[in-house]
């Protein structure tokens, strides 16, 4: 008999709790094992019940959702899906702080009048429940890599641009990576981060406030310039038709996503060739793996987040399986690796 995915529902609204529980109760693979009205109760119930996954409201009495996420991820790590009001009417920091603290996903809370189907989080919860979460310590833990032979032959002739793929767990790594890059970082950066469309603006604002680079959602025809970071907006593929510019194009999903990291990375390989640098971070699925291979085959350099530091090793793992990765890097060290490469220094070899 297959074990059901156990869910703890946390919300101070009785109606919301009832709607979530009723919607999840329609899925035979899920079982709501408890409900809570505030974050303090949620922390106690997580320790007692050990649920597979938690739905977490943000605005609650006694202990708010963000504080509860912080305590749960530090004391009893559990996959958490945060439910919140429309982030476009809140400060970016409020929305994305949950991701920084260790939550795996964000979702806009439906209106009570939207109907039961709008509250059905079953598919997303089952995916998050399969993720191996790690204890989320407030201070970043530095891991010193072992000394390895230098490989100057893997250095690109010059860094033309950096193309980044990220999904589940990616915002935290992007936050750390961008915060460590200097304002005069010599290459433009283009990013595809899989995230609920309602949170795209908040993500860009949160990242912009955490670093010295200029970060924003890309617009069609925008220039790729050093010191600038462009994030693919929801519902469109971001491509590089030629060096120095991006384009936004409608289309169909690639590798299950739109925007697709593979689409961006393949276009970077065509436009920049040996001057392209591909980076693939934590995430489910295999989006970006084919794009990393395209960059490597074009003579560019490719970096992937290592399994130890990934929330989900799916995307980087798929790239490794295709022999599309030159270097595996700890998530805390991606920014430092980019700085080193931008200075013409080689990275240590290692898998």
């Amino acid at each position: 008999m297959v074990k059901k995915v156990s869910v703890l529902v946390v919300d101070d609204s009785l109606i919301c709790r009832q709607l979530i529980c009723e919607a999840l109760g329609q899925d035979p693979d899920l079982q709501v094992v408890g409900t809570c009205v505030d974050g303090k109760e949620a922390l106690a119930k997580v320790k007692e019940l050990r649920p597979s996954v938690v739905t977490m409201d943000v605005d609650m009495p006694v202990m708010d959702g963000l504080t509860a996420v912080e305590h749960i991820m530090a004391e009893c790590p559990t996959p958490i899906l945060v439910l919140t009001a429309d982030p476009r009417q809140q400060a970016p920091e409020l929305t994305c702080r949950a991701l920084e603290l260790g939550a795996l996903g964000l979702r806009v809370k439906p209106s009570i009048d939207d109907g039961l189907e709008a509250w059905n989080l079953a598919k997303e919860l089952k995916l998050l429940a399969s993720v191996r979460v790690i204890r989320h310590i407030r201070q970043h833990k530095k891991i010193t890599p072992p000394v390895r032979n230098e490989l100057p032959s893997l250095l690109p002739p010059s860094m033309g641009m950096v193309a980044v793929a990220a999904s589940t767990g990616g915002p935290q790594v992007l936050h750390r990576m961008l915060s460590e890059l200097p304002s005069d970082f010599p290459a433009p950066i283009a990013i595809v981060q899989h995230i609920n469309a309602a949170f795209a603006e908040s993500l860009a604002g949160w990242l912009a406030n955490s670093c010295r680079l200029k970060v924003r959602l890309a617009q069609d025809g925008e220039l790729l310039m050093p010191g600038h970071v462009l994030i693919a907006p929801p519902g469109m593929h971001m491509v590089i038709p030629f060096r120095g510019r991006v384009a936004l194009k409608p289309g169909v999903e690639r590798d299950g996503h739109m925007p697709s990291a593979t689409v961006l990375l393949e276009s970077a390989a065509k436009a920049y060739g040996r001057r392209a640098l591909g980076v693939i971070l934590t995430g489910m699925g295999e989006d970006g793996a084919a794009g990393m291979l395209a960059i490597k085959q074009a003579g560019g350099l490719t970096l992937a987040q290592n399994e130890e530091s990934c929330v989900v090793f799916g995307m980087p793992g798929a790239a490794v399986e295709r022999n599309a990765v030159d270097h595996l890097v700890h998530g805390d060290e991606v920014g430092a690796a980019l700085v080193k490469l931008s200075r013409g220094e080689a990275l240590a070899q290692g898998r």
Side-chain angles (χ1 to χ4, degrees):
M1 184 175 179
V2 179
K3 183 179 179 181
K4 291 188 177 184
V5 173
S6 57
V7 185
L8 179 67
V9 176
V10 185
D11 200 301
D12 64 328
S13 165
L14 173 61
I15 295 177
C16 290
R17 293 197 306 274
Q18 290 176 335
L19 286 169
I20 295 172
C21 290
E22 188 175 348
L24 298 183
Q26 296 180 345
D27 192 304
D29 297 327
L30 296 175
Q31 180 182 9
V32 177
V33 293
T35 62
C36 303
V37 299
D38 60 62
K40 183 177 181 180
E41 185 182 355
L43 177 60
K45 283 286 184 70
V46 166
K47 292 179 178 179
E48 174 191 351
L49 300 174
R50 302 286 172 153
S52 308
V53 63
V54 176
T55 71
M56 181 71 70
D57 187 22
V58 173
D59 189 11
M60 296 182 293
V62 184
M63 180 187 288
D64 64 80
L66 297 187
T67 303
V69 169
E70 183 174 21
H71 280 283
I72 289 171
M73 295 311 295
E75 300 173 30
C76 189
T78 307
I80 299 174
L81 174 64
V82 170
L83 303 179
T84 181
D86 193 329
R88 288 166 287 200
Q89 302 182 15
Q90 302 173 345
E93 294 79 4
L94 177 61
T95 301
C96 292
R97 175 70 175 155
L99 296 176
E100 185 179 357
L101 294 172
L104 293 184
L106 301 170
R107 179 129 173 206
V108 175
K109 189 183 293 186
S111 167
I112 293 175
D113 300 325
D114 283 346
L116 194 61
E117 183 58 34
W119 291 84
N120 193 345
L121 313 170
K123 181 179 179 180
E124 192 164 4
L125 291 178
K126 283 189 279 189
L127 282 173
L128 295 184
S130 68
V131 173
R132 173 187 58 83
V133 292
I134 58 175
R135 192 173 302 278
H136 205 81
I137 307 300
R138 291 184 181 88
Q139 295 182 346
H140 288 281
K141 183 179 179 180
K142 287 277 188 177
I143 295 183
T144 304
V147 177
R148 302 182 178 96
N149 294 327
E150 298 294 314
L151 292 180
S153 61
L154 288 180
L155 280 175
S158 62
M159 189 185 293
M161 67 89 57
V162 180
V164 184
S167 189
T168 307
Q172 299 96 314
V173 185
L174 291 173
H175 184 271
R176 177 67 180 259
M177 178 188 87
L178 294 177
S179 70
E180 295 186 345
L181 299 182
S183 59
D184 61 350
F185 187 73
I189 300 173
I191 298 172
V192 167
Q193 165 66 57
H194 304 153
I195 195 167
N196 186 294
F199 297 95
E201 285 281 2
S202 296
L203 174 69
W206 177 60
L207 294 176
N209 290 335
S210 69
C211 71
R212 294 176 286 273
L213 305 176
K214 296 180 179 179
V215 183
R216 59 189 175 276
L217 292 184
Q219 297 182 7
D220 187 43
E222 194 162 4
L223 295 177
L224 278 168
M225 298 184 292
H228 290 245
V229 180
L230 299 181
I231 301 174
M236 303 281 280
H237 289 304
M238 181 166 70
V239 300
I240 305 171
F242 49 83
R243 290 188 183 187
R245 195 175 296 274
V246 300
L248 302 180
K249 297 184 178 296
V252 297
E253 291 183 349
R254 176 84 182 272
D255 293 336
H257 296 279
M258 187 167 65
S260 163
T262 285
V263 170
L264 170 65
L265 293 166
E266 287 181 344
S267 69
K270 291 179 181 178
Y272 282 88
R274 295 182 63 206
R275 298 187 65 205
L277 194 156
V279 179
I280 191 164
L281 304 176
T282 172
M284 296 181 184
E286 57 181 30
D287 187 30
M292 291 282 281
L293 183 59
I295 288 179
K296 184 167 183 179
Q297 290 175 338
L301 189 64
T302 56
L303 310 181
Q305 185 176 349
N306 68 6
E307 185 171 9
E308 173 192 4
S309 63
C310 280
V311 171
V312 188
F313 193 55
M315 285 165 46
V320 170
E321 288 179 0
R322 299 185 188 209
N323 293 317
V325 176
D326 293 314
H327 292 287
L328 284 170
V329 183
H330 191 280
D332 286 349
E333 304 294 338
V334 178
L338 294 181
V339 171
K340 194 171 184 180
L341 289 170
S342 73
R343 294 172 178 167
E345 302 173 20
L347 298 182
Q349 170 70 340
R351 286 296 177 101

